[in-house]
PDB file of all heavy atoms in Angstrom:
ATOM      1  N   ARG A 232      10.298  -0.223 -12.785  1.00  0.00           N
ATOM      2  CA  ARG A 232       9.778   0.692 -13.794  1.00  0.00           C
ATOM      3  C   ARG A 232       8.397   0.266 -14.243  1.00  0.00           C
ATOM      4  O   ARG A 232       8.048  -0.933 -14.194  1.00  0.00           O
ATOM      5  CB  ARG A 232      10.710   0.703 -15.000  1.00  0.00           C
ATOM      6  CG  ARG A 232      10.901  -0.646 -15.614  1.00  0.00           C
ATOM      7  CD  ARG A 232      12.073  -0.794 -16.521  1.00  0.00           C
ATOM      8  NE  ARG A 232      12.185  -2.192 -16.907  1.00  0.00           N
ATOM      9  CZ  ARG A 232      12.386  -2.617 -18.133  1.00  0.00           C
ATOM     10  NH1 ARG A 232      12.504  -1.741 -19.125  1.00  0.00           N
ATOM     11  NH2 ARG A 232      12.446  -3.893 -18.407  1.00  0.00           N
ATOM     12  N   GLY A 233       7.602   1.225 -14.690  1.00  0.00           N
ATOM     13  CA  GLY A 233       6.279   0.876 -15.130  1.00  0.00           C
ATOM     14  C   GLY A 233       5.591   2.016 -15.834  1.00  0.00           C
ATOM     15  O   GLY A 233       6.141   3.126 -15.976  1.00  0.00           O
ATOM     16  N   VAL A 234       4.353   1.712 -16.259  1.00  0.00           N
ATOM     17  CA  VAL A 234       3.562   2.715 -16.938  1.00  0.00           C
ATOM     18  C   VAL A 234       2.270   2.969 -16.189  1.00  0.00           C
ATOM     19  O   VAL A 234       1.733   2.084 -15.516  1.00  0.00           O
ATOM     20  CB  VAL A 234       3.247   2.282 -18.385  1.00  0.00           C
ATOM     21  CG1 VAL A 234       4.503   2.277 -19.234  1.00  0.00           C
ATOM     22  CG2 VAL A 234       2.535   0.934 -18.418  1.00  0.00           C
ATOM     23  N   ALA A 235       1.786   4.201 -16.310  1.00  0.00           N
ATOM     24  CA  ALA A 235       0.488   4.571 -15.770  1.00  0.00           C
ATOM     25  C   ALA A 235      -0.478   4.766 -16.924  1.00  0.00           C
ATOM     26  O   ALA A 235      -0.068   5.172 -18.026  1.00  0.00           O
ATOM     27  CB  ALA A 235       0.610   5.849 -14.950  1.00  0.00           C
ATOM     28  N   VAL A 236      -1.742   4.455 -16.672  1.00  0.00           N
ATOM     29  CA  VAL A 236      -2.750   4.440 -17.722  1.00  0.00           C
ATOM     30  C   VAL A 236      -3.972   5.248 -17.288  1.00  0.00           C
ATOM     31  O   VAL A 236      -4.563   4.956 -16.236  1.00  0.00           O
ATOM     32  CB  VAL A 236      -3.192   2.981 -18.024  1.00  0.00           C
ATOM     33  CG1 VAL A 236      -4.190   2.919 -19.146  1.00  0.00           C
ATOM     34  CG2 VAL A 236      -1.968   2.110 -18.333  1.00  0.00           C
ATOM     35  N   ASN A 237      -4.367   6.241 -18.084  1.00  0.00           N
ATOM     36  CA  ASN A 237      -5.542   7.057 -17.739  1.00  0.00           C
ATOM     37  C   ASN A 237      -6.828   6.233 -17.839  1.00  0.00           C
ATOM     38  O   ASN A 237      -6.879   5.231 -18.568  1.00  0.00           O
ATOM     39  CB  ASN A 237      -5.652   8.253 -18.705  1.00  0.00           C
ATOM     40  CG  ASN A 237      -4.643   9.331 -18.366  1.00  0.00           C
ATOM     41  OD1 ASN A 237      -4.126   9.378 -17.258  1.00  0.00           O
ATOM     42  ND2 ASN A 237      -4.364  10.189 -19.331  1.00  0.00           N
ATOM     43  N   PRO A 238      -7.900   6.669 -17.141  1.00  0.00           N
ATOM     44  CA  PRO A 238      -9.172   5.922 -17.188  1.00  0.00           C
ATOM     45  C   PRO A 238      -9.689   5.718 -18.610  1.00  0.00           C
ATOM     46  O   PRO A 238     -10.254   4.675 -18.923  1.00  0.00           O
ATOM     47  CB  PRO A 238     -10.116   6.797 -16.374  1.00  0.00           C
ATOM     48  CG  PRO A 238      -9.242   7.581 -15.473  1.00  0.00           C
ATOM     49  CD  PRO A 238      -7.995   7.839 -16.253  1.00  0.00           C
ATOM     50  N   GLY A 239      -9.459   6.680 -19.492  1.00  0.00           N
ATOM     51  CA  GLY A 239      -9.999   6.604 -20.847  1.00  0.00           C
ATOM     52  C   GLY A 239      -9.140   5.801 -21.808  1.00  0.00           C
ATOM     53  O   GLY A 239      -9.520   5.616 -22.967  1.00  0.00           O
ATOM     54  N   THR A 240      -8.024   5.300 -21.361  1.00  0.00           N
ATOM     55  CA  THR A 240      -7.124   4.541 -22.224  1.00  0.00           C
ATOM     56  C   THR A 240      -7.418   3.049 -22.105  1.00  0.00           C
ATOM     57  O   THR A 240      -7.503   2.533 -20.989  1.00  0.00           O
ATOM     58  CB  THR A 240      -5.645   4.807 -21.855  1.00  0.00           C
ATOM     59  OG1 THR A 240      -5.408   6.211 -21.963  1.00  0.00           O
ATOM     60  CG2 THR A 240      -4.685   4.050 -22.752  1.00  0.00           C
ATOM     61  N   GLN A 241      -7.568   2.375 -23.248  1.00  0.00           N
ATOM     62  CA  GLN A 241      -7.861   0.948 -23.248  1.00  0.00           C
ATOM     63  C   GLN A 241      -6.720   0.162 -22.605  1.00  0.00           C
ATOM     64  O   GLN A 241      -5.538   0.405 -22.911  1.00  0.00           O
ATOM     65  CB  GLN A 241      -8.029   0.464 -24.692  1.00  0.00           C
ATOM     66  CG  GLN A 241      -9.183   1.065 -25.445  1.00  0.00           C
ATOM     67  CD  GLN A 241     -10.507   0.415 -25.033  1.00  0.00           C
ATOM     68  OE1 GLN A 241     -10.530  -0.655 -24.431  1.00  0.00           O
ATOM     69  NE2 GLN A 241     -11.595   1.120 -25.297  1.00  0.00           N
ATOM     70  N   VAL A 242      -7.061  -0.828 -21.796  1.00  0.00           N
ATOM     71  CA  VAL A 242      -6.021  -1.636 -21.135  1.00  0.00           C
ATOM     72  C   VAL A 242      -5.239  -2.444 -22.167  1.00  0.00           C
ATOM     73  O   VAL A 242      -4.047  -2.699 -21.998  1.00  0.00           O
ATOM     74  CB  VAL A 242      -6.710  -2.526 -20.066  1.00  0.00           C
ATOM     75  CG1 VAL A 242      -6.962  -3.910 -20.534  1.00  0.00           C
ATOM     76  CG2 VAL A 242      -5.985  -2.488 -18.762  1.00  0.00           C
ATOM     77  N   GLU A 243      -5.885  -2.769 -23.279  1.00  0.00           N
ATOM     78  CA  GLU A 243      -5.215  -3.539 -24.340  1.00  0.00           C
ATOM     79  C   GLU A 243      -3.987  -2.810 -24.863  1.00  0.00           C
ATOM     80  O   GLU A 243      -3.028  -3.426 -25.318  1.00  0.00           O
ATOM     81  CB  GLU A 243      -6.195  -3.811 -25.491  1.00  0.00           C
ATOM     82  CG  GLU A 243      -7.277  -4.849 -25.183  1.00  0.00           C
ATOM     83  CD  GLU A 243      -8.257  -4.366 -24.109  1.00  0.00           C
ATOM     84  OE1 GLU A 243      -8.446  -3.140 -23.983  1.00  0.00           O
ATOM     85  OE2 GLU A 243      -8.774  -5.242 -23.360  1.00  0.00           O
ATOM     86  N   SER A 244      -3.992  -1.494 -24.774  1.00  0.00           N
ATOM     87  CA  SER A 244      -2.859  -0.733 -25.350  1.00  0.00           C
ATOM     88  C   SER A 244      -1.558  -0.959 -24.582  1.00  0.00           C
ATOM     89  O   SER A 244      -0.488  -0.673 -25.103  1.00  0.00           O
ATOM     90  CB  SER A 244      -3.203   0.766 -25.338  1.00  0.00           C
ATOM     91  OG  SER A 244      -3.316   1.225 -24.009  1.00  0.00           O
ATOM     92  N   VAL A 245      -1.632  -1.473 -23.347  1.00  0.00           N
ATOM     93  CA  VAL A 245      -0.372  -1.714 -22.613  1.00  0.00           C
ATOM     94  C   VAL A 245       0.025  -3.187 -22.619  1.00  0.00           C
ATOM     95  O   VAL A 245       1.131  -3.523 -22.148  1.00  0.00           O
ATOM     96  CB  VAL A 245      -0.427  -1.195 -21.149  1.00  0.00           C
ATOM     97  CG1 VAL A 245      -0.599   0.299 -21.119  1.00  0.00           C
ATOM     98  CG2 VAL A 245      -1.485  -1.904 -20.344  1.00  0.00           C
ATOM     99  N   VAL A 246      -0.837  -4.046 -23.187  1.00  0.00           N
ATOM    100  CA  VAL A 246      -0.489  -5.481 -23.190  1.00  0.00           C
ATOM    101  C   VAL A 246       0.850  -5.741 -23.885  1.00  0.00           C
ATOM    102  O   VAL A 246       1.675  -6.502 -23.379  1.00  0.00           O
ATOM    103  CB  VAL A 246      -1.648  -6.307 -23.807  1.00  0.00           C
ATOM    104  CG1 VAL A 246      -1.242  -7.748 -24.045  1.00  0.00           C
ATOM    105  CG2 VAL A 246      -2.864  -6.249 -22.891  1.00  0.00           C
ATOM    106  N   PRO A 247       1.151  -5.068 -25.018  1.00  0.00           N
ATOM    107  CA  PRO A 247       2.462  -5.309 -25.652  1.00  0.00           C
ATOM    108  C   PRO A 247       3.644  -4.924 -24.758  1.00  0.00           C
ATOM    109  O   PRO A 247       4.760  -5.386 -24.964  1.00  0.00           O
ATOM    110  CB  PRO A 247       2.422  -4.419 -26.896  1.00  0.00           C
ATOM    111  CG  PRO A 247       0.983  -4.151 -27.152  1.00  0.00           C
ATOM    112  CD  PRO A 247       0.323  -4.146 -25.798  1.00  0.00           C
ATOM    113  N   LEU A 248       3.393  -4.092 -23.730  1.00  0.00           N
ATOM    114  CA  LEU A 248       4.475  -3.608 -22.877  1.00  0.00           C
ATOM    115  C   LEU A 248       4.722  -4.511 -21.668  1.00  0.00           C
ATOM    116  O   LEU A 248       5.701  -4.323 -20.940  1.00  0.00           O
ATOM    117  CB  LEU A 248       4.151  -2.200 -22.351  1.00  0.00           C
ATOM    118  CG  LEU A 248       3.862  -1.095 -23.367  1.00  0.00           C
ATOM    119  CD1 LEU A 248       3.383   0.160 -22.673  1.00  0.00           C
ATOM    120  CD2 LEU A 248       5.104  -0.800 -24.207  1.00  0.00           C
ATOM    121  N   LEU A 249       3.865  -5.494 -21.447  1.00  0.00           N
ATOM    122  CA  LEU A 249       3.917  -6.258 -20.186  1.00  0.00           C
ATOM    123  C   LEU A 249       5.261  -6.927 -19.948  1.00  0.00           C
ATOM    124  O   LEU A 249       5.707  -7.057 -18.811  1.00  0.00           O
ATOM    125  CB  LEU A 249       2.774  -7.282 -20.138  1.00  0.00           C
ATOM    126  CG  LEU A 249       1.368  -6.679 -20.033  1.00  0.00           C
ATOM    127  CD1 LEU A 249       0.321  -7.798 -19.962  1.00  0.00           C
ATOM    128  CD2 LEU A 249       1.252  -5.750 -18.844  1.00  0.00           C
ATOM    129  N   ASP A 250       5.940  -7.303 -21.024  1.00  0.00           N
ATOM    130  CA  ASP A 250       7.252  -7.942 -20.872  1.00  0.00           C
ATOM    131  C   ASP A 250       8.326  -6.972 -20.414  1.00  0.00           C
ATOM    132  O   ASP A 250       9.388  -7.368 -19.935  1.00  0.00           O
ATOM    133  CB  ASP A 250       7.695  -8.512 -22.231  1.00  0.00           C
ATOM    134  CG  ASP A 250       7.244  -9.942 -22.390  1.00  0.00           C
ATOM    135  OD1 ASP A 250       7.101 -10.602 -21.346  1.00  0.00           O
ATOM    136  OD2 ASP A 250       7.040 -10.369 -23.540  1.00  0.00           O
ATOM    137  N   SER A 251       8.028  -5.672 -20.579  1.00  0.00           N
ATOM    138  CA  SER A 251       9.063  -4.650 -20.314  1.00  0.00           C
ATOM    139  C   SER A 251       8.802  -3.836 -19.051  1.00  0.00           C
ATOM    140  O   SER A 251       9.546  -2.879 -18.791  1.00  0.00           O
ATOM    141  CB  SER A 251       9.120  -3.702 -21.524  1.00  0.00           C
ATOM    142  OG  SER A 251       9.236  -4.415 -22.718  1.00  0.00           O
ATOM    143  N   VAL A 252       7.726  -4.164 -18.323  1.00  0.00           N
ATOM    144  CA  VAL A 252       7.421  -3.379 -17.112  1.00  0.00           C
ATOM    145  C   VAL A 252       7.362  -4.301 -15.873  1.00  0.00           C
ATOM    146  O   VAL A 252       7.118  -5.478 -15.990  1.00  0.00           O
ATOM    147  CB  VAL A 252       6.057  -2.655 -17.240  1.00  0.00           C
ATOM    148  CG1 VAL A 252       6.057  -1.652 -18.375  1.00  0.00           C
ATOM    149  CG2 VAL A 252       4.909  -3.642 -17.390  1.00  0.00           C
ATOM    150  N   ASP A 253       7.592  -3.663 -14.718  1.00  0.00           N
ATOM    151  CA  ASP A 253       7.373  -4.365 -13.449  1.00  0.00           C
ATOM    152  C   ASP A 253       5.946  -4.097 -12.966  1.00  0.00           C
ATOM    153  O   ASP A 253       5.307  -4.952 -12.389  1.00  0.00           O
ATOM    154  CB  ASP A 253       8.357  -3.846 -12.392  1.00  0.00           C
ATOM    155  CG  ASP A 253       9.805  -4.080 -12.793  1.00  0.00           C
ATOM    156  OD1 ASP A 253      10.174  -5.261 -12.944  1.00  0.00           O
ATOM    157  OD2 ASP A 253      10.535  -3.082 -13.004  1.00  0.00           O
ATOM    158  N   THR A 254       5.480  -2.852 -13.237  1.00  0.00           N
ATOM    159  CA  THR A 254       4.196  -2.401 -12.693  1.00  0.00           C
ATOM    160  C   THR A 254       3.358  -1.700 -13.753  1.00  0.00           C
ATOM    161  O   THR A 254       3.907  -0.974 -14.588  1.00  0.00           O
ATOM    162  CB  THR A 254       4.454  -1.385 -11.544  1.00  0.00           C
ATOM    163  OG1 THR A 254       5.295  -1.999 -10.566  1.00  0.00           O
ATOM    164  CG2 THR A 254       3.155  -0.920 -10.893  1.00  0.00           C
TER     165      THR A 254
END
Side-chain angles (χ1 to χ4, degrees):
R232 58 197 174 134
V234 292
V236 182
N237 284 341
T240 302
Q241 296 282 344
V242 98
E243 288 66 28
S244 65
V245 297
V246 170
L248 303 173
L249 292 181
D250 269 333
S251 310
V252 297
D253 300 298
T254 304

